[in-house]
Amino acid sequence: MTAHDPVIACGNCPIRHNAICAECESDELSMLERAKSYKTVPVGTPLARAGEPLSHFSSLVKGCAAMSRTLEDGRRQTVGLLLPSDFIGRPGRATSPFDVTALSEVTLCRFERTAFERIVRDTPHVASRLLTMTLDELDAARDWAVVLGRMTAREKLAAFLLNLAQRQRSVRGMARPSGKILVALPMSREQMGDHLGLTIETISRQITALRKDGLIEVPSRQDIRILDYDALAFEAGDDGDGAPIA
Amino acid sequence: MTAHDPVIACGNCPIRHNAICAECESDELSMLERAKSYKTVPVGTPLARAGEPLSHFSSLVKGCAAMSRTLEDGRRQTVGLLLPSDFIGRPGRATSPFDVTALSEVTLCRFERTAFERIVRDTPHVASRLLTMTLDELDAARDWAVVLGRMTAREKLAAFLLNLAQRQRSVRGMARPSGKILVALPMSREQMGDHLGLTIETISRQITALRKDGLIEVPSRQDIRILDYDALAFEAGDDGDGAPIA
DNA sequence: CGATCCGTTGAATTACGTCAATAGACGTGG
DNA sequence: CCACGTCTATTGACGTAATTCAACGGATCG
C-alpha cells in the first residue's frame, strides 16, 4: 500500500451506492469502515493470479482491470472487464479462478479474506448485495458468450464499444447514451483482441472499417467517438427491439 | 401439471444434496415441502422465454434443458446446459434474460415466484446456497467464454465432451472420469453447434475426425464413448497441469 | 536522433461456413 | 413386413472471414 493513498470515507465514496456496500445502513457502514483498507497500484499490476490464493477481496474504486485466462500456448481470453464498483475476488474459494490485471492505475477498497467472509455471513445487506451483483455478472457473462460464439468481428467490436459507452456512462450516473459519445479505451488493441476473441490485426482493420463507414471517429489511440449510437447498435445486431447486446 | 407426477418427498429426492435446498435443516425442508410443486413436461417444452415474465422458479430434478438466446436473424447461442439440481429462473428480476428449453422430458420442483423470493429473504441456508450456486455458475460461464472465444472447433468439441462426461458422473456421484466413458448426448448436432458456436456440419466433421483419430467411438447418434479421457483432455488444450477446461 | 513499442496495412493462408447431394434412422400406413 | 416420407446426420465442393506472416509508419522516450 502506498502511504499517500487518499483516505476516503464511506460517506463520500464514489462507489457508495453501487458497490458491495450499496444496501448498507450507517451502522453497517461504520463496521465496514473499520475493516477496510485502501490500496493504489500502478498500471499492469497483477491483482490476482489464476489458481493462486487471494488474501483480500476488493471493490474497485477507481481505474480499470481485466479478468482473464491464458492457455499454455499463449492464447488469452478476457472474461470480464472490471470498472469502478465492481468486485474482485471469489467468495467461497481460497483461490481465484482467473487472472486479474490492472489496466490503469487502480485504487482498491480491500477487506481481508476471512474478515470479509465473516461480514458476508453476519450482514444480510452485504450478502444480499453480493448475490445481486453476482447474478448481474452472470447475466453479463452469458450475454458476452453470445457475442463470442455467434458474432462477426465487426459486430463484436460494435458490441464492445456500445458496452463500454453504457458502462462508462452509468459509472458517471448518466442516462442511456445516444448520438455522439466519446469512449475512453482503457486498453491496448491486443487486450481488446483478447476480450473479443480476435487478433490485434482484425481489431485494427475493423476499427478502420467502422471509421471509413462513418460510424466512429478515432481522435487518438485511446479514444473512440461513437458518431451515431443507434446506427452502431444496428451494426451489433441490435435491431432496436430491446434485445441486449452485452 | 400432469396428474401422474410421482410425489417425491424431499427426504429421498435425488437432488436433495446438490440443489438449492442442499444446506437446509429438516425444519426448513418441511417448509419447502409445503411450498413446492412438481411438474413434468415433454421434450421441447419452453420452460422460459427471453424477456417474458416467469411465474415460477424451479430446480431441475430429472432430464436436461438448455438456456439460450436467439438473434433476429436466427443465429442462436446456448449459454448454459442445465442438468439435475440446476436452478431455473432469475431471482431479482420478473423476466428471464434467456430462453430455457427442455432437451428431454423434464421434471421440475417448482416454487411460485413471490413465495420463493420470500423464502430466500427469510431462509439464510437457501440464500447462502443460492449464492454458492450462482458463483459456481459464473465461474462456469466464464470458463465457457474461453472455449467460445479462443478454441478451435476440435478443441471445442473435446472440451464439450469432457465437460459433459464430468457432469454426468458428478450427478451420479462418481469420481473424476478416466479411461473409457460412455457419454449420453442429450441433444442434436444442431444444438451442439449452438452450444459451441459452430455449424452442424462442422460438428459432424469434428466428430468424424476424433473418431478416425481413435479418440472416441460413436455407438449411436446420441452416444459417444470417450476411449481415452486424458488424451481427449490433451486435445482440448489441457496439458494436464490442472487448468480447467470448462 | 536513434531505439522501441504499438498500431496499421497488405498479401497469402486456413479454418470454418455455406450450399448441395447423399445416406441412415425412424415412423406411418398399406 | 415392406414401401414410403420425413427428419437428422454425414460427406463433398466451394466460398469467405479471420488469422498469419511480413512490412511499414507514427508515437514516445531515452
Side-chain angles (χ1 to χ4, degrees), chain B:
Chain B
M1 188 177 335
T2 59
H4 55 282
D5 268 322
V7 175
I8 305 169
C10 289
N12 61 355
C13 172
I15 60 171
R16 162 76 179 93
H17 298 289
N18 300 290
I20 205 70
C21 50
E23 297 177 10
C24 288
E25 312 288 351
S26 61
D27 56 329
E28 297 164 327
L29 222 51
S30 57
M31 179 269 298
L32 290 176
E33 192 100 56
R34 264 171 275 126
K36 81 186 185 183
S37 70
Y38 288 102
K39 184 170 185 174
T40 297
V41 300
V43 50
T45 308
L47 306 175
R49 252 187 267 264
E52 291 186 14
L54 201 56
S55 64
H56 290 76
F57 293 120
S58 316
S59 289
L60 203 163
V61 177
K62 194 160 156 290
C64 178
M67 197 179 326
S68 66
R69 174 167 299 145
T70 304
L71 304 179
E72 288 83 357
D73 60 5
R75 284 178 290 179
R76 188 180 306 148
Q77 178 65 49
T78 298
V79 297
L81 201 57
L82 303 167
L83 296 180
S85 85
D86 284 335
F87 185 75
I88 299 171
R90 177 45 168 96
R93 287 209 207 296
T95 61
S96 167
F98 297 97
D99 295 313
V100 180
T101 312
L103 296 181
S104 67
E105 180 176 282
V106 157
T107 300
L108 302 171
C109 171
R110 307 195 312 160
F111 299 90
E112 200 270 319
R113 202 172 78 77
T114 55
F116 185 79
E117 302 208 308
R118 181 162 18 82
I119 290 172
V120 172
R121 244 194 349 266
D122 301 344
T123 319
H125 279 157
V126 172
S128 146
R129 178 66 186 150
L130 185 57
L131 177 59
T132 300
M133 290 177 72
T134 306
L135 285 164
D136 286 342
E137 281 184 275
L138 182 55
D139 286 345
R142 287 171 168 163
D143 284 337
W144 200 248
V146 179
V147 173
L148 290 177
R150 286 301 187 193
M151 290 198 170
T152 64
R154 185 184 177 97
E155 290 171 324
K156 283 179 178 181
L157 183 62
F160 170 69
L161 293 174
L162 294 167
N163 189 278
L164 209 52
Q166 280 179 239
R167 293 180 67 185
Q168 289 180 354
R169 290 279 153 140
S170 78
V171 163
R172 300 190 211 123
M174 293 165 165
R176 183 186 192 269
S178 65
K180 298 193 182 192
I181 309 135
L182 186 66
V183 181
L185 298 179
M187 53 174 74
S188 68
R189 301 290 188 256
E190 181 171 18
Q191 287 160 335
M192 289 172 64
D194 291 340
H195 192 48
L196 296 168
L198 298 170
T199 60
I200 175 174
E201 293 95 334
T202 300
I203 296 286
S204 189
R205 280 186 246 271
Q206 296 301 331
I207 289 178
T208 303
L210 289 181
R211 183 169 52 72
K212 288 192 174 162
D213 291 348
L215 289 157
I216 60 171
E217 277 174 358
V218 188
S220 88
R221 198 158 288 198
Q222 46 260 344
D223 289 286
I224 285 187
R225 192 189 318 280
I226 298 174
L227 295 178
D228 183 341
Y229 189 91
D230 294 328
L232 196 62
F234 182 79
E235 291 297 328
D238 181 0
D239 292 18
D241 72 338
I245 303 298

